[in-house]
Amino acid sequence: AQSVSQHNHHVILSEAASLELGCNYSYGGTVNLFWYVQYPGQHLQLLLKYFSGDPLVKGIKGFEAEFIKSKFSFNLRKPSVQWSDTAEYFCAVEAAGNKLTFGGGTRVLVKP
Amino acid sequence: DTAVSQTPKYLVTQMGNDKSIKCEQNLGHDTMYWYKQDSKKFLKIMFSYNNKELIINETVPNRFSPKSPDKAHLNLHINSLELGDSAVYFCASSRVTDRFGTEAFFGQGTRLTVV
């Protein structure tokens, strides 16, 4: 069965700092990859996705993620965070024919 | 212990039937959600309940009705199932924390197939 690991459960950083959230998955075949964000009191929103093509994908709000197939990773990055980026971030992986599997989430606190 | 559990994991049923998917969370969260994974693979919010009260009701056919008997449960009932209802449905729960803002957990999903 596929699994998704998000290494950091909690991240605290200051505004303007750079953010990188790790995501690794275990599945050897073709995958679709997603990052979702849940802001306080809101439901999930899609940040970005990777299906195929350029492994560096850009999403909304200045986020990007890089798919490294050899490392089974899909790390999320943002060069300069804002206080409004405080949220919980979920990596999700869908292998062919399987259901979406979520990582455990990483809660990010950006200090003003 | 499973934080958010959905039952059943798989459901195959005929068109026109009525079915329910159950969701329970043992985290003490106040808010629960139902999402549908659409044909493009994205999650779309369907409903959100906070303390048993409906707070989000997206454009979803009336055949879909959420029911929250208590804040630990949010069930999804679907009447007169149609082929287009075939999808994976995810339940989730969350709470707003003091420090980090939000904490959410997802169920494993229910794959509904209407034949």
Side-chain angles (χ1 to χ4, degrees):
Chain A
Q2 64 194 55
S3 64
V4 182
S5 297
Q6 292 182 240
H7 314 298
N8 308 100
H9 296 295
H10 302 95
V11 172
I12 304 173
L13 59 168
S14 300
E15 277 193 313
S18 64
L19 172 70
E20 180 159 2
L21 302 181
C23 174
N24 284 88
Y25 63 93
S26 64
Y27 183 75
T30 302
V31 291
N32 297 323
L33 300 159
F34 307 83
W35 275 98
Y36 284 92
V37 61
Q38 183 158 357
Y39 297 104
Q42 297 185 28
H43 56 271
L44 274 187
Q45 298 175 44
L46 180 69
L47 270 181
L48 48 79
K49 65 191 185 298
Y50 173 81
F51 286 0
S52 63
D54 189 345
L56 183 62
V57 293
K58 296 194 183 298
I60 61 171
K61 307 190 181 189
F63 285 91
E64 64 178 31
E66 185 175 13
F67 170 49
I68 303 179
K69 190 174 180 179
S70 60
K71 295 185 178 180
F72 299 91
S73 70
F74 189 54
N75 293 353
L76 180 71
R77 297 193 290 254
K78 184 169 183 177
S80 176
V81 295
Q82 301 171 313
W83 174 79
S84 59
D85 292 321
T86 292
E88 187 165 25
Y89 294 80
F90 289 91
C91 178
V93 176
E94 183 183 53
N98 290 343
K99 283 184 274 184
L100 203 60
T101 302
F102 287 92
T106 299
R107 289 192 276 158
V108 174
L109 173 63
V110 179
K111 294 181 176 179
Chain B
D1 287 341
T2 303
V4 180
S5 61
Q6 293 178 231
T7 54
K9 289 188 171 57
Y10 298 93
L11 179 56
V12 180
T13 187
Q14 290 186 325
M15 281 175 57
N17 284 350
D18 302 338
K19 290 292 179 185
S20 292
I21 308 172
K22 296 185 177 181
C23 180
E24 175 181 6
Q25 54 99 0
N26 61 5
L27 300 163
H29 288 175
D30 291 331
T31 306
M32 295 184 71
Y33 309 81
W34 277 108
Y35 295 87
K36 179 181 180 181
Q37 189 176 8
D38 67 14
S39 57
K40 294 184 179 178
K41 310 290 188 179
F42 307 151
L43 287 189
K44 292 182 68 174
I45 184 72
M46 299 175 70
F47 302 103
S48 174
Y49 268 72
N50 184 276
N51 277 322
K52 303 197 304 176
E53 289 191 22
L54 181 65
I55 57 172
I56 292 177
N57 184 358
E58 293 295 305
T59 306
V60 174
N62 291 338
R63 299 180 294 102
F64 289 79
S65 55
K67 288 182 170 53
S68 183
D70 53 61
K71 78 174 192 178
H73 296 84
L74 181 61
N75 303 325
L76 183 65
H77 189 75
I78 315 170
N79 290 328
S80 302
L81 278 155
E82 300 177 357
L83 292 176
D85 297 331
S86 296
V88 182
Y89 294 84
F90 285 90
C91 176
S93 73
S94 73
R95 70 182 179 105
V96 177
T97 68
D98 291 333
R99 195 164 186 230
F100 285 89
T102 192
E103 172 187 49
F105 289 83
F106 285 82
Q108 289 187 315
T110 296
R111 187 185 294 279
L112 171 64
T113 303
V114 182
V115 298

